Amino acid sequence: MSDVARRAGVSTKTVSNVLRGAPGASTATRRRVLEAVTALDYRLNPSASALRSGRWGSITLAIPTLQQPLYAALAQELMRAADDTTVILELTSGEAEHEQEILAGSWARRSDAAVLVPRALDPASLLAGEASSPAPLALIADSGPVGVPRVSCPLDAQAALVAAHLRSLGRIRPAVVGVASAADRWTRACVRGLRESGLRVDDDAVLRVGSPDGMLGGVEAVARLAYTGLPVDAVVCHNDALAAGAVSALRRRGVRVPLEVAVIGRGNTDAAAFATPTLTSVDLDLPAIARGALSLLSIGADATVSEDSPASGPLEPRPVETTPALSVRGSTVDDAGAAPGRRGEPHRGQV
């Protein structure tokens, strides 16, 4: 911009005003500025401009799919928190190549910043040094490399909530339904947390499914669990869709939920609130996750960029963590709100 200003014989502020279409410059001045822009092949950098002003035209949210209620709810919360900033949805289908393109900045052609929810790539081992995008990028992931802004809900805290609830119900042998994806950290953390709390989680009761976005994965997990013959009294699922599928499969097998087997989901989505029975679910505080991601990009009420911020260069990453909560519903307690059975008495429900 300084080069354009020198060539046109005006100030950089005048160049900025002309390029933004602001009033004040004469026709002759505008012509000189535009001729200088053409001669120097000058192009505005919208991302740098947004960093300086805190104003963004659009951001890209890259998620695997909208079929997963958790991702759909996250998209809704991000759009709500972004206010008048346009959110462009990009579905990666959980493909490594597509996620890598996001990391490389493919979104920069149509938006000023991006938020990526990885599935195929392991953020801890694959993203370090690979995020070469030309403008701000934030991850919503359970792990990630130093230098890349990230938002997450602590896995240990989630597991502690689930373990405490199961123990209060007298459940001692839970199964865990996780997902088979490179970015997954929840499955291992959940198993570890349940075991450390004194609950018995057999190795064969840890099931990873390849179809995590709908009820089918939960149905598949219950079938596999039945094949093992293990007596379990609870099923803890990676997300609400899997939990709903698990409940459906259990009931078709004649297992009483929650009397014999309790089921817990994750995400506290509409899929949990309107399931039959309603699902107990770990609430990740999606509104706070959305606000946190935007704050890392200096968008929205939580943004901290000032007018003196540099026009280029990455912001210093500030990790953001939300606080989980447990929404207790009918899949772990009866309609009266009391846990079935006597506290401390083992349940003998078998899938």
Side-chain angles (χ1 to χ4, degrees), residues 1-325:
M1 189 176 288
S2 297
D3 292 339
V4 171
R6 281 193 296 270
R7 187 180 184 96
V10 298
S11 67
T12 55
K13 182 175 178 59
T14 297
V15 174
S16 176
N17 288 340
V18 169
L19 295 179
R20 289 188 296 109
S26 67
T27 302
T29 298
R30 288 180 182 277
R31 184 170 56 253
R32 291 203 310 275
V33 168
L34 295 177
E35 288 173 351
V37 165
T38 301
L40 296 173
D41 194 24
Y42 174 73
R43 297 186 179 119
L44 280 172
N45 185 331
S47 299
S49 300
L51 275 175
R52 178 181 293 278
S53 67
R55 294 187 297 272
W56 299 78
S58 63
I59 61 173
T60 291
L61 171 61
I63 55 179
T65 177
L66 283 173
Q67 292 179 321
Q68 168 56 251
L70 185 57
Y71 297 145
L74 173 62
Q76 177 175 302
E77 293 297 340
L78 193 74
M79 290 176 181
R80 181 179 293 118
D83 196 16
D84 58 354
T85 299
T86 300
V87 176
I88 301 172
L89 285 177
E90 181 161 345
L91 304 182
T92 65
S93 300
E95 297 173 351
E97 182 178 0
H98 201 156
E99 293 179 1
Q100 193 64 60
E101 290 173 354
I102 297 294
L103 291 173
S106 61
W107 49 267
R109 297 189 300 270
R110 56 193 174 278
S111 61
D112 304 316
V115 177
L116 170 64
V117 182
R119 171 181 283 178
L121 296 179
D122 178 354
S125 62
L126 297 180
L127 301 191
E130 296 184 20
S132 56
S133 55
L137 168 73
L139 299 177
I140 297 179
D142 294 322
S143 63
V146 175
V148 179
R150 179 171 57 89
V151 186
S152 66
C153 185
L155 297 176
D156 291 342
Q158 295 179 45
L161 285 173
V162 171
H165 184 55
L166 292 179
R167 287 176 62 86
S168 75
L169 301 176
R171 307 301 170 111
I172 59 174
R173 295 192 65 168
V176 174
V177 179
V179 300
S181 69
D184 175 58
R185 289 288 186 276
W186 176 88
T187 306
R188 182 177 299 177
C190 183
V191 171
R192 181 179 64 246
L194 296 180
R195 287 173 174 170
E196 289 177 351
S197 74
L199 303 180
R200 176 174 174 176
V201 184
D202 294 294
D203 289 343
D204 287 342
V206 180
L207 309 162
R208 293 178 181 267
V209 299
S211 303
D213 296 320
M215 295 176 62
L216 181 60
V219 174
E220 170 197 334
V222 168
R224 290 166 54 188
L225 190 60
Y227 181 78
T228 68
L230 289 172
V232 300
D233 52 22
V235 179
V236 183
C237 298
H238 180 275
N239 58 60
D240 291 338
L242 292 176
V247 168
S248 177
L250 287 167
R251 297 179 74 184
R252 285 203 302 272
R253 290 175 177 272
V255 179
R256 293 172 294 174
V257 177
L259 185 62
E260 295 175 293
V261 176
V263 178
I264 298 178
R266 178 170 170 263
N268 200 26
T269 62
D270 286 347
F274 295 103
T276 303
T278 55
L279 293 173
T280 293
S281 182
V282 178
D283 191 320
L284 308 178
D285 199 348
L286 293 182
I289 288 178
R291 293 194 303 270
L294 294 177
S295 74
L296 291 174
L297 301 175
S298 302
I299 303 171
D302 296 332
T304 57
V305 171
S306 69
E307 290 296 326
D308 295 328
S309 298
S312 61
L315 294 175
E316 184 66 25
R318 306 183 305 277
V320 174
E321 291 187 342
T322 64
T323 302

Side-chain angles (χ1 to χ4, degrees), residues 165 168-169 171 258-259 328-330 332-341 343:
H165 184 55
S168 75
L169 301 176
R171 307 301 170 111
L259 185 62
V328 178
R329 299 190 181 93
T332 59
V333 300
D334 62 18
D335 291 337
R343 186 171 303 195

